Amino acid sequence: MIRRLSLLTGLILALGFGWWAWQNYGPRPEAPPLADTVQHVDLILIEKSAKRLTASRDGIAVLQMQVSLGFAPLGDKQHEGDGKTPEGLFSINRRNPRSSFHLSLGLDYPRPEDITRAKTEGVDPGGDIFIHGQPNSLGDMVTLPGDWTDGCIAVSNEQMERLWALVPIGTTVEIRP
């Protein structure tokens, strides 16, 4: 009986010491996400196949989020109303704090080559491509599932607020298939 009591006491002391050591010398909490320490990003990469947006600064990813695309996401945008999200290199050329979709960052689409191609084909290239939040009519609590835009890139309102704070006019946007 005394032996069992001694073993139990030793076990309790060892566990207590282990807990104390873990609390004082164990792993430290992770550093805050880089997005909390970076003032702005210089590149937004949108990978349509992965439905992923990655914002980076000097080649280091600071923010990553899932996106919704145009309702017909496969392929490059060809004309107004095709439901495709354009592919290629763009830049942010405007910011709209009064957007119908929470906040929005405008891309410089159509580019001159898009206009020339569309003119050759006798179609309207479309325009007003944005990275934006959810429709204001739904309120802040709803994030629409699936690909539902007319060709824009949509994220949740909370994600859009984080992105809005990091993206100045002139930021490069690369949209890959």
Side-chain angles (χ1 to χ4, degrees), residues 29-46:
E30 290 184 29
L34 287 174
D36 292 342
T37 60
V38 170
Q39 297 297 315
H40 70 274
V41 297
D42 55 20
L43 175 68
I44 296 173
L45 172 63
I46 298 166

Side-chain angles (χ1 to χ4, degrees), residues 7-139:
L7 285 172
L8 184 59
T9 302
L11 181 61
I12 290 171
L13 288 173
L15 288 173
F17 177 78
W19 179 255
W20 174 84
W22 178 261
Q23 292 298 311
N24 290 290
Y25 300 106
R28 300 289 86 188
E30 290 184 29
L34 287 174
D36 292 342
T37 60
V38 170
Q39 297 297 315
H40 70 274
V41 297
D42 55 20
L43 175 68
I44 296 173
L45 172 63
I46 298 166
E47 299 165 282
K48 290 170 57 174
S49 60
K51 297 189 191 293
R52 179 176 52 229
L53 179 152
T54 304
S56 60
R57 167 87 181 174
D58 297 327
I60 299 171
V62 298
L63 193 60
Q64 199 168 70
M65 57 190 69
Q66 292 301 118
V67 299
S68 294
L69 302 169
F71 60 84
L74 296 178
D76 194 5
K77 185 158 197 65
Q78 298 298 308
H79 58 83
E80 173 103 28
D82 65 5
K84 296 185 181 307
T85 301
E87 298 171 357
L89 282 175
F90 305 92
S91 65
I92 299 295
N93 67 354
R94 60 204 183 277
R95 294 166 54 94
N96 185 356
R98 293 187 180 97
S99 171
S100 296
F101 297 90
H102 194 56
L103 300 168
S104 62
L105 300 166
L107 290 110
D108 61 349
Y109 177 88
R111 299 161 298 177
E113 59 266 31
D114 299 312
I115 295 168
T116 301
R117 178 193 39 76
K119 193 176 283 188
T120 301
E121 297 172 5
V123 296
D124 182 340
D128 286 337
I129 301 296
F130 290 88
I131 301 170
H132 60 67
Q134 301 296 301
N136 291 337
S137 60
L138 297 178

